[in-house]
Structure formats: structure tokens, C-alpha cells
Amino acid sequence: LGDGTQLTRPDAQAFSHTYTAANTYTVRFYTETDLGCKSDTVSKNVVTASTPLANFDLPEVCLNDASATFINKSTTPANGTLTYLWNFGDPGANAGNPNTSIATDGKHRYSQSGNYIVSLISTNNAGCSDTIVQQLTVNGDKPQAVFTVNNAASLCANRQVELVNNSTVNFGSVTKVIVYWNWPNATDTTIDENPTAAEVYRHIYPDFNTPASKSYNIKFVAFSGGVCFNEANRTVTLNASPDVVFSTVNGICVNAPARTLTEARDASVLNAPGTYFGTGVTGGQFSPAGLTPGTSYSIGYVAVSAVGCRDTGYAAINVLALPVAKITIPGPACEGKTVLIDDASTTPVGAITQWSWDMGDGTKLNRNNGNAFNHVFAGLNTYNVRLSVSTDSGCVSNTDQLALQVNVNPKADFTPPSVCLPQGRAAFQSNSTIVGGNASQLQHRWNFGDGSPIGTGASPVHFYSGSGPYSVSLVSTSTRGCSDSVVRVLTNIYPQVMANFTVSPPEVCVGAPIRFTDVSNAINRRKTAYNWQLGDGQTKTDSTFSYTYTRAGTFTVSMFYTTDVGCYSDTVIKQVTVHPYPEVDAGPDRVVLEGGQVKLLAAVSGGSGYQYLWTPSTWLDDVKVLQPVTSPQVDITYKLTVVSTGGCTDEDEVNVKLLLKPEIPNAFSPNGDGINDVWNIRYLDSYPGATVQVFDRYGRVVFSSTGYNTPWNGTLEGKGMPTGVYYYIVNPKNGRNAYTGSVTLLR
């Protein structure tokens, strides 16, 4: 249906649908048969228009009006055009005064008073219409304007004048009332477009206090339609009203007695008498008793004339809070010393003008300012100091009282300490006392005389950087705040003495002693204690001693000493060096073939700066290097001596064996005669790991050994081998090639 609505219907009957807004809607439609076939779709546009809103204003009509005119207020959206059809509901209408009209504003003359039903149909150019129906009352002809004045005999200038509407009409209602309060002056006017019976209208005329009375003409007009009205006139007389005025009302102190009120009067020509009223007012008097101080209270005065006109005036009277006297003594009260007496009094209103002091020792003072002042009390005692103050309003405070105890002063004292430079540590100790008190409870302030910050406590420690002298002051204060001071000159400041010692010798080998000797200059002071730090965790307290280090290294040795006045010297630092012994390894024993050469594989560790010497020098290429080369002709033993830094010495030996060429016999005779019974290969036993294999002519191994400690005796598995030629492979190894050949076994 083009507005989001979709319908599936089982028949072809017509149906209705309501669109909710003016618009152009595209409606689409198709049919479907019982075989499931669908028709094509047909589309048509439906144009909807907005409905107009019919409306009109009802006129106020009386029977004498020429006609009733109805003002059309109909509207239609989108600036469309409207046509109208009026029905005036008049059964007495005729051709000359028809009951209907198509004019924009309807107009009809009614011939009888009564109620009529009027309708308007408004139709726009799309054919949409709206109808409104309203009831019209046609009032009678002329109303009767009637009003009364309330309390007309006792009207007062400062009160409202009240009129009561009593107007009537023979049919319908009074439709409008106009009151002219000072006719013919039309400026003071009340207009009521919807009056009701017995409605009251009020007006205030300008207040006056002279002359005694004034008169005004009131014109009252009542309407029942456009031309139907009636009026009534009346003169009213207003009496002058009193004029209450107040002169200045002074405040009253909260503790003052009741005061007669005289500040109000009637300032008009009437001179009317009056009475006071309000909180705290009784019989023309104001009493602050029981009222809240610092609060302003309203006092009223009503004056009443002989004819009952009255005026009321008001003024405020302040109930003044009393000033508060407050003594303040910021410092302690100490025997024989001035005590500062100060004032902290306050007043919530006005200013304090007088201070009355009673010092409690017979001294009384009246002062005109609150400035602090000094007072000396005669001796140790408790004095009751009292103060009361007065303000410029005459209010007097209650008396403030303070019990002031005058306390004993302590006695400050200390002894200057001895000070050793450069540390400059000065340990001060207070010796201050207080009679009848506990000296440990005293507080102390120290001025050390060198411009440093103030020190505190009974035993402060301060550090000086110079030799002085210094003027040191101590102020000791009791728990009551009483204090005493003392100044002492600090002169016992000793310069730092210098330390020195000798080391002999400064370098040694491990295990050798070193001699340490004090050679310090104590500058005319006696040395009382030594402190040696030997750098290996050990300490000494002797002036001179020998010490042996158990390990090598460079050791930092420090020493300072203490003098007979407790001063420490500076600390002198020196280093000693303990050299390690070298650890010499001449290397493994070497084997060299006859006619060859070999390097000695010596090694050394520990120490530094080595010097080498090999002995003997026979067959060596260089006796001053760590690993020389030798070309021996016989077995020989060499010794290596190594000297490291500090002269520390160690030595070791190495053997060099010369391997001669094996001599292999080509025959032997194992016959038991003791001559050549075994195959003896000379020098083969010098070749560790040498292998020997003997084969028969068939290639069978008949003898095999590693090493040749037991020569071949010509047997195999315990049985003698036959005479013949045998073949051998002798491998000396150790750098020599294998030997092959034959050997003849003889029996």
C-alpha cells in the first residue's frame, strides 16, 4: 500500500485503508491462481491530502446588536485553499437573514435572546473537511449597572477601596465591566472581560496625610454585548492616614536595664496617638533580658486616628553583644624580669575604648588603648591578673582573669671542651642547674661562635674548621620558659700533628721480614697510642716492629697515632711489595735420536720480570732463554735457574736421553753354550714401545713383542725352532723408521 503496509487477501472484495500523513503513495497489486500462477503487477498512485482544522471565535452579543460576527480561525496545512459553510442555528432565520453562509467570517442577526448552536464546516481543495460546533448566547437588551462600596463610611487613604459588582441583565450574563476610579480621569481604570456576580474590585488611591479627607468620583459601566451597556456613578470620601516615622534607635547592651522607647511618632497633621509592639517590648519599654546578643529585633509602632485610620512603622533595635575581655601573656613570667602583658580582647560591634587592669600585686591601671606593656612582679608567687573592657556603646565586658605564676630562673653553665684539628670535633656538655627543678628538663640553645646554625640539646657536638678562639654562648631555658645565658671563650684548639714512618726494605720476597719504623714529629705532644693497618687485615700498635707477609702482593700500609690531649695525627699511607717466588718446571725429560736436536719444554709461573740460566751450557743453543734447543752426544741432565722481580729464585732439572741406532745381529745360535744363545738387538731397549716381529719362510709369526726386554731365544710356544733363515720387522718408533731383514738361526 506504499506506506509499509502489505496485505494478502483471500478474496476480491473492496476494503478500506487509512493513511496517516499527506503524501503520494504507490500501491502495487497482483493476483495468484489456485494453480500457483501469478499475474503481472499493476501500480497506481494514491495522493492523500491533510485535513483542515475548523475554528472560530464566539462574539459577545446582546439583543440590540445589529448582528453577531463570527471570526473564522480555520487553518489548513501547506497553504491550501478552504471553502466554508456556516449554520447559525437560528430557527427564526428568513430569506433576508439566512441561517447559512459561505463567507469567510460568518455574520447573522438574531431576533430573540437565547442560546444557539452554531457550526462551521471548513473544506480544502482536496475535498477534506473538518467541522466545529459551539454554543452562542444572545444576551438580553440593556443590563443594570449596580455596585456597592464596602465600609464606605470609614475609608482610609492607605487602604484599598473595595467595590462589589451587583450588575444584572434580563437574559444571559454581563460580559464586561469597566471601573473608572477617578472619573473623568480615565487613567486609573480596571477592565474585566469576564466578570462574575458579586466579584470584588480593589483599588489603592494615593496615600495622603493632609488634608483630613479627599473625595473621588467612581464610574461603573456594565456590558452585555457590543452596544448594550449601563453605568452607575458614586462619590467616595477617603480620610487622611497617620504617618509613622522613627528617629534613630540606638542599640542596647544585652545586660542593660529596660529602656523607655521614645523614637516613634505620627508626623501627619492628625498627630494620632500610638503604641509600641514587638519582641522585648512591654508597656512602651524595651528590655534585652533573655534576648540573643548580636541580633537585630524589629520594633513596631501603630498610630490610629480618631476615625480609625492607622499607619504602622518599624525600626530595628540591636541587642549589643558584650565585648570579650581577653588577657594574653605571650612569654614566660620569670623572677626579676619584665613580663609582657598583652590584650586580645574583642568586641562584635563598635570599638573598645577603655581597658581596666588589676595586676594582682596591688597595681591597678586604666588604659585607653590595647597596646602591650611590660610589668615587673615583685617576686616568686602566683598573681591573679584581671581585665575588663568597655566599648564606645557603653557595653562593659565580664572580667577576664588569668593566674600568672612567676617562676625561678635557671643558672646556665658549661666548660669549654678540647678540640683537635682538622676534625675539629667539640663535644659540649651543659652544666646548667635550676633551684628546685630538674636540670635534665632544661632546654638549651648553643651559639658556637663561628657563624654556624644554632645548636640544641644538653650535649651537642660541633665541628670547628679553624684554630679560634671562639666565643661560645649557652642559653638554658626551663619548662616554664625562664632562661639564663653564659658566654665562654673556647681556646683549647690543637693543630693536627703529622705522622710518618719508614719501610725497610720496601720490596721483599714472600717470607722475608720488613721493618716498619715511626719517624713522626708530634710537635711537643706525647704519643700515647699507634694504629697500624698492614693491608692484609693485620694491625699493630707498636711504634717500631718487623713484619713478615705470608702471601705476595702490594700492600697499603697506613699509620696514625694519638697524642696525650686526645688528638689524632693525620694518616700516612705507604705501599710495600711482597714478590712471589717463581714456580719453575724444567719440562718433561726429552729423548733425542743420535745426531738430532730437541727443544727443552720448560715453563715458569708466578712472579714477573724473569731471568733464565741453564747449566751446564753443553750442546745448548742459548742458556738465557726459557726453552733452548740441545743437540746432545750423550745422555745429559740440565738445571734451569729462574730469578723473578725482587730477586726471588727457583730452579728445576730435566734429563735428555740420546737414542743410539739399534744394532740387529744377522745370526744367533740358541744351543745352550752361553754364547749368542738369544737374538740380542743392542740399544733397542732404549726405545720405549718398540715392536719386534719374526716370521718363518711361510709368513707365520714365530715371535712378537712390544718392547724388547726379553730377547728371542729361538723358540715358539716353548719348542725350539729349526735351523734356518727367519725374517723380521723391527720398529723402534720414537722417530726412527722400521728395520726389515733376515736372521739365521743356527743349532
Side-chain angles (χ1 to χ4, degrees):
L1 298 179
D3 63 351
T5 304
Q6 295 184 358
L7 296 176
T8 300
R9 298 175 56 82
D11 55 53
Q13 298 298 318
F15 63 93
S16 296
H17 181 69
T18 300
Y19 291 93
T20 59
N23 205 343
T24 297
Y25 300 93
T26 299
V27 180
R28 295 177 175 82
F29 168 70
Y30 68 86
T31 62
E32 185 175 343
T33 69
D34 55 357
L35 297 177
C37 298
K38 293 182 179 179
S39 71
D40 62 344
T41 299
V42 63
S43 299
K44 291 187 178 183
N45 289 335
V46 175
V47 181
T48 61
S50 298
T51 301
L53 179 63
N55 194 16
F56 65 89
D57 288 343
L58 285 173
E60 293 179 349
V61 183
C62 68
L63 192 59
N64 291 345
D65 286 330
S67 63
T69 300
F70 302 90
I71 304 302
N72 194 333
K73 295 291 184 68
S74 300
T75 59
T76 184
N79 298 319
T81 60
L82 293 174
T83 59
Y84 307 100
L85 177 60
W86 295 89
N87 188 315
F88 301 114
D90 183 7
N94 52 45
N97 184 31
N99 192 44
T100 62
S101 173
I102 61 173
T104 298
D105 294 327
K107 184 178 290 187
H108 184 72
R109 187 180 187 284
Y110 292 88
S111 58
Q112 293 184 0
S113 60
N115 294 320
Y116 298 89
I117 301 300
V118 181
S119 66
L120 169 63
I121 301 174
S122 297
T123 304
N124 63 17
N125 52 3
C128 300
S129 63
D130 186 35
T131 301
I132 184 172
V133 177
Q134 299 190 67
Q135 178 177 293
L136 172 69
T137 298
V138 177
N139 297 310
D141 42 15
K142 180 181 284 189
Q144 295 297 314
V146 180
F147 71 94
T148 58
V149 179
N150 290 337
N151 303 314
S154 57
L155 299 178
C156 297
N158 58 356
R159 295 184 188 176
Q160 289 182 336
V161 175
E162 296 182 348
L163 304 186
V164 180
N165 177 20
N166 297 316
S167 302
T168 60
V169 66
N170 57 2
F171 182 83
S173 61
V174 175
T175 60
K176 181 168 67 173
V177 167
I178 301 177
V179 182
Y180 299 93
W181 296 95
N182 188 13
W183 184 259
N185 184 353
T187 57
D188 294 338
T189 304
T190 299
I191 300 175
D192 186 0
E193 296 284 358
N194 189 26
T196 59
E199 186 167 353
V200 178
Y201 301 97
R202 298 175 177 84
H203 183 68
I204 291 287
Y205 287 93
D207 191 12
F208 63 91
N209 310 117
T210 183
S213 63
K214 289 183 180 181
S215 295
Y216 297 90
N217 183 39
I218 299 176
K219 181 178 180 178
F220 187 90
V221 183
F223 291 83
S224 63
V227 298
C228 300
F229 67 89
N230 186 235
E231 63 183 46
N233 292 273
R234 182 170 179 173
T235 298
V236 293
T237 299
L238 275 65
N239 297 294
S241 62
D243 182 18
V244 173
V245 296
F246 270 88
S247 60
T248 301
V249 180
N250 294 323
I252 184 170
C253 301
V254 69
N255 60 350
R259 187 174 76 197
T260 300
L261 299 171
T262 60
E263 292 84 359
R265 64 183 179 87
D266 175 17
S268 74
V269 296
L270 303 176
N271 195 22
T275 56
Y276 290 94
F277 62 92
T279 302
V281 177
T282 304
Q285 289 187 322
F286 182 83
S287 174
L291 300 183
T292 303
T295 303
S296 179
Y297 291 89
S298 179
I299 298 174
Y301 182 80
V302 57
V304 183
S305 69
V307 295
C309 293
R310 64 180 58 205
D311 186 36
T312 302
Y314 294 89
I317 183 170
N318 292 323
V319 176
L320 303 176
L322 300 182
V324 178
K326 180 65 176 177
I327 303 168
T328 182
I329 300 179
C334 302
E335 179 184 8
K337 295 184 179 181
T338 59
V339 179
L340 183 65
I341 309 296
D342 204 356
D343 167 66
S345 303
T346 58
T347 179
V349 62
I352 299 174
T353 57
Q354 186 174 2
W355 288 258
S356 298
W357 293 90
D358 183 346
M359 307 309 297
D361 60 354
T363 303
K364 298 183 184 299
L365 301 171
N366 287 316
R367 297 171 59 85
N368 58 6
N369 62 66
N371 297 337
F373 61 94
N374 290 316
H375 185 73
V376 178
F377 291 88
L380 297 173
N381 205 341
T382 298
Y383 299 90
N384 291 319
V385 182
R386 296 178 174 85
L387 170 66
S388 65
V389 295
S390 303
T391 68
D392 52 3
S393 300
C395 297
V396 180
S397 72
N398 295 320
T399 299
D400 185 34
Q401 179 173 307
L402 187 149
L404 178 64
Q405 181 178 353
V406 177
N407 302 289
V408 66
N409 293 313
K411 178 64 176 178
D413 191 23
F414 72 95
T415 300
S418 295
V419 179
C420 298
L421 295 177
Q423 183 186 30
R425 184 178 187 275
F428 291 91
Q429 178 61 53
S430 167
N431 298 323
S432 301
T433 59
I434 183 169
V435 176
N438 186 349
S440 65
Q441 295 181 348
L442 295 176
Q443 293 183 345
H444 308 279
R445 289 173 59 84
W446 300 80
N447 186 325
F448 299 112
D450 60 352
S452 60
I454 296 298
T456 59
S459 305
V461 174
H462 184 68
F463 292 88
Y464 289 94
S465 59
S467 59
Y470 300 98
S471 292
V472 181
S473 65
L474 167 63
V475 178
S476 297
T477 304
S478 70
T479 56
R480 298 287 186 176
C482 296
S483 63
D484 185 36
S485 64
V486 63
V487 178
R488 300 273 190 268
V489 178
L490 176 61
T491 59
N492 298 329
I493 300 179
Y494 302 100
Q496 185 180 30
V497 292
M498 309 303 291
N500 195 14
F501 64 90
T502 61
V503 179
S504 180
E507 295 185 27
V508 296
C509 297
V510 173
I514 300 176
R515 184 74 173 173
F516 296 94
T517 304
D518 169 42
V519 293
S520 305
N521 182 3
I523 315 176
N524 299 322
R525 303 309 316 174
R526 182 169 54 85
K527 304 172 188 175
T528 58
Y530 291 88
N531 185 299
W532 295 82
Q533 300 290 332
L534 299 177
D536 62 349
Q538 299 299 311
T539 61
K540 291 289 185 179
T541 58
D542 302 321
S543 62
T544 300
F545 58 92
S546 293
Y547 184 72
T548 300
Y549 288 91
T550 60
R551 58 185 174 86
T554 297
F555 299 92
T556 299
V557 181
S558 66
M559 185 272 282
F560 68 86
Y561 59 89
T562 307
T563 68
D564 54 352
V565 292
C567 294
Y568 294 96
S569 71
D570 71 334
T571 299
V572 63
I573 298 174
K574 296 185 179 182
Q575 288 186 332
V576 297
T577 301
V578 178
H579 297 287
Y581 284 100
E583 294 184 4
V584 177
D585 181 2
D589 292 341
R590 303 308 307 273
V591 175
V592 61
L593 300 178
E594 181 181 4
Q597 63 182 20
V598 67
K599 178 183 285 189
L600 303 183
L601 302 178
V604 63
S605 62
S608 61
Y610 305 120
Q611 296 179 358
Y612 309 102
L613 180 63
W614 289 89
T615 57
S617 61
T618 307
W619 301 310
L620 293 175
D621 63 343
D622 190 344
V623 298
K624 294 184 178 181
V625 298
L626 178 62
Q627 294 181 340
V629 175
T630 181
S631 302
Q633 297 180 9
V634 296
D635 293 347
I636 189 170
T637 298
Y638 292 106
K639 180 172 72 175
L640 171 62
T641 301
V642 178
V643 180
S644 65
T645 301
C648 303
T649 303
D650 191 20
E651 59 187 26
D652 191 23
E653 293 181 346
V654 61
N655 296 317
V656 179
K657 182 175 181 60
L658 181 66
L659 296 180
L660 299 176
K661 181 179 179 181
E663 295 180 0
I664 305 175
N666 58 9
F668 73 102
S669 57
N671 52 13
D673 60 359
I675 301 173
N676 296 324
D677 285 335
V678 295
W679 188 38
N680 185 26
I681 304 174
R682 294 185 65 189
Y683 310 127
L684 187 60
D685 57 351
S686 298
Y687 293 84
T691 61
V692 178
Q693 289 180 307
V694 180
F695 306 88
D696 62 12
R697 61 182 177 171
Y698 303 107
R700 183 180 59 162
V701 177
V702 297
F703 176 82
S704 176
S705 72
T706 298
Y708 202 61
N709 294 326
T710 303
W712 184 36
N713 59 4
T715 63
L716 173 63
E717 297 178 353
K719 295 180 180 181
M721 298 297 295
T723 299
V725 177
Y726 293 86
Y727 301 92
Y728 61 83
I729 299 176
V730 176
N731 189 355
K733 299 185 179 178
N734 295 284
R736 286 193 181 276
N737 295 324
Y739 296 95
T740 60
S742 64
V743 58
T744 301
L745 188 153
L746 300 174
R747 293 290 182 181

